[in-house]
Amino acid sequence: MNQFLSHTDLGNLQEALQEAQRIKQDRFAFQHLGRNKTLLMVFFNNSLRTRLSTQKAAMNLGMNVIVLDVNQGAWKLETERGVIMDGDKSEHLLEAIPVIGCYCDIIAVRSFAGLTNRDYDYAETIVRQFIQYSGRPVMAMETATVHPLQAFADLITIKEALPGKTPRVVLTWAPHPKALPQAVPNSFAEWMLAAGLDVVVTHPEGYELDPKFVAGAHVEYDQRKALQGADIVYAKNWSCPGVTRPEDYGKILHDYHDMMHWTIDAEHMAWTDNAYFMHCLPVRRGMIVTDDVIEGPRSLVIPEAANREISATVVLKRMLESL
């Protein structure tokens, strides 16, 4: 496996889920694969779970790990082509990428959407340059439009919580004071649909996700109606994806003070079929979800985060096997 951006790169999801369970039983069974191999993790944005879980996964497999934080201790990188570099950026990504490739066997990249240019973000300009110019397998640790490691961990978590069931999964928008990317909801919807789950997406009008990620899901603008019968409630904010109005891409369409009725609380969870609550973290309590829900017995946020180590281990194992 030379790249990881989507479930299609992973292949058969049922086989991947079975592999995840085998790895969970013995996380260190494949350390021989990573001996004398190096993972170089490149961060254009902040991280807690992604950095820790991916580094732990590499260590599980016996790999050396180098972490490059582009915003601290490195030259500022220019990512645009054809520019005159007379500003504060001293090095171009087109030189940095092949240099990075010289020092490792696998590259993992985390780079968020800029939320100003939809075409640039949805072309996955930064991670695609790593794939094209590094000469190394490239794993996405979240990009402008997708977060496949999170979605894989989410799927593992759901299958563990509801074994043998085809659950009704509701992805619900929730308010937030800042404009956030669509990467997590995009991948969550895409992966759950690929796994054959019953997927409902609910959000205010104007926040419609790109059809290439949600085709096959039921879109319901009435949140209460959407949550009825839910087995899983996955809450997440995202800014306007600009599907119908590209000029609104990356914008918050409503004052969040007016949208607090979308916050997941005990009343919302009572509309469900005794559903589990999920969120990728970090989460703003009191906005996305109330304390009693996220701390309650039906909250899966910690097992979900723990499974990030497992999803990353599966992906890195397959990449090492392909070297």
Side-chain angles (χ1 to χ4, degrees), residues 37-55:
K37 298 291 192 301
T38 298
L39 172 69
L40 204 159
M41 301 164 62
V42 183
F43 289 90
F44 289 84
N45 301 95
N46 295 335
S47 176
L48 189 152
R49 276 148 298 278
T50 296
R51 176 168 176 167
L52 296 178
S53 62
T54 308
Q55 186 165 352

Side-chain angles (χ1 to χ4, degrees), residues 7 19 39 43 48 81 115 118 125 153 187 229 257 267 289:
H7 66 88
E19 187 171 0
L39 172 69
F43 289 90
L48 189 152
R81 280 183 167 274
L115 296 180
R118 189 181 196 279
T125 305
S187 282
H257 294 96
E267 180 182 357
V289 61

Side-chain angles (χ1 to χ4, degrees), residues 180 182 206-207 238-243 245 248-253:
L180 298 184
Q182 301 98 46
Y207 289 96
W238 61 91
S239 61
C240 177
V243 173
R245 288 175 54 86
D248 287 338
Y249 174 64
K251 294 180 180 178
I252 298 175
L253 301 180

Side-chain angles (χ1 to χ4, degrees), residues 98-109:
V99 169
I100 288 169
C102 294
Y103 305 143
C104 64
D105 300 280
I106 297 174
I107 299 174
V109 181

Side-chain angles (χ1 to χ4, degrees), residues 195-206:
L197 306 190
D198 180 10
V199 180
V200 179
V201 183
T202 184
H203 52 74
E205 291 191 28

Side-chain angles (χ1 to χ4, degrees), residues 13-25:
L13 279 180
Q14 187 58 41
E15 292 178 2
L17 288 166
Q18 292 171 355
E19 187 171 0
Q21 291 308 312
R22 289 195 297 271
I23 283 174
K24 228 173 181 182
Q25 293 169 12

Side-chain angles (χ1 to χ4, degrees), residues 13 16 20 28-29 40 46 57 78 94 96 101 149 176 196 203 234 254-255 258-259 262 269 278 298 313:
L13 279 180
F28 309 107
L40 204 159
N46 295 335
E78 177 59 65
L94 292 175
L149 286 173
H176 198 281
H203 52 74
Y234 198 103
H254 310 86
D255 186 317
D258 299 328
M259 306 303 290
W262 281 82
M269 296 301 289
M278 297 180 69
R298 304 296 283 180
T313 304

Side-chain angles (χ1 to χ4, degrees), residues 43-217:
F43 289 90
F44 289 84
N45 301 95
N46 295 335
S47 176
L48 189 152
R49 276 148 298 278
T50 296
R51 176 168 176 167
L52 296 178
S53 62
T54 308
Q55 186 165 352
K56 178 62 165 62
M59 294 166 65
N60 292 348
L61 295 165
M63 300 187 76
N64 303 310
V65 181
I66 300 172
V67 178
L68 175 64
D69 186 337
V70 172
N71 297 313
Q72 295 181 14
W75 299 113
K76 288 188 177 180
L77 295 177
E78 177 59 65
T79 60
E80 300 277 0
R81 280 183 167 274
V83 298
I84 297 173
M85 292 176 57
D86 57 356
D88 64 344
K89 297 177 180 177
S90 305
E91 184 163 4
H92 202 288
L93 204 60
L94 292 175
E95 285 79 61
I97 289 173
V99 169
I100 288 169
C102 294
Y103 305 143
C104 64
D105 300 280
I106 297 174
I107 299 174
V109 181
R110 182 176 178 91
S111 178
F112 293 172
L115 296 180
T116 57
N117 185 329
R118 189 181 196 279
D119 291 339
Y120 182 89
D121 287 344
Y122 272 71
E124 291 291 7
T125 305
I126 292 178
V127 73
R128 292 290 179 191
Q129 289 183 78
F130 276 91
I131 292 170
Q132 184 175 357
Y133 298 114
S134 69
R136 296 287 183 261
V138 174
M139 176 174 69
M141 297 189 297
E142 187 168 2
T143 71
T145 69
V146 295
H147 198 347
L149 286 173
Q150 181 65 54
F152 187 16
D154 294 337
L155 183 58
I156 294 169
T157 306
I158 290 171
K159 291 295 185 180
E160 290 175 337
L162 297 164
K165 184 173 184 177
T166 302
R168 179 179 176 86
V169 176
V170 178
L171 170 63
T172 177
W173 182 92
H176 198 281
K178 296 173 60 179
L180 298 184
Q182 301 98 46
V184 169
N186 282 345
S187 282
F188 181 80
E190 178 187 36
W191 281 67
M192 300 310 121
L193 288 164
L197 306 190
D198 180 10
V199 180
V200 179
V201 183
T202 184
H203 52 74
E205 291 191 28
Y207 289 96
E208 292 78 11
L209 294 169
D210 194 300
K212 72 178 182 179
F213 297 110
V214 298

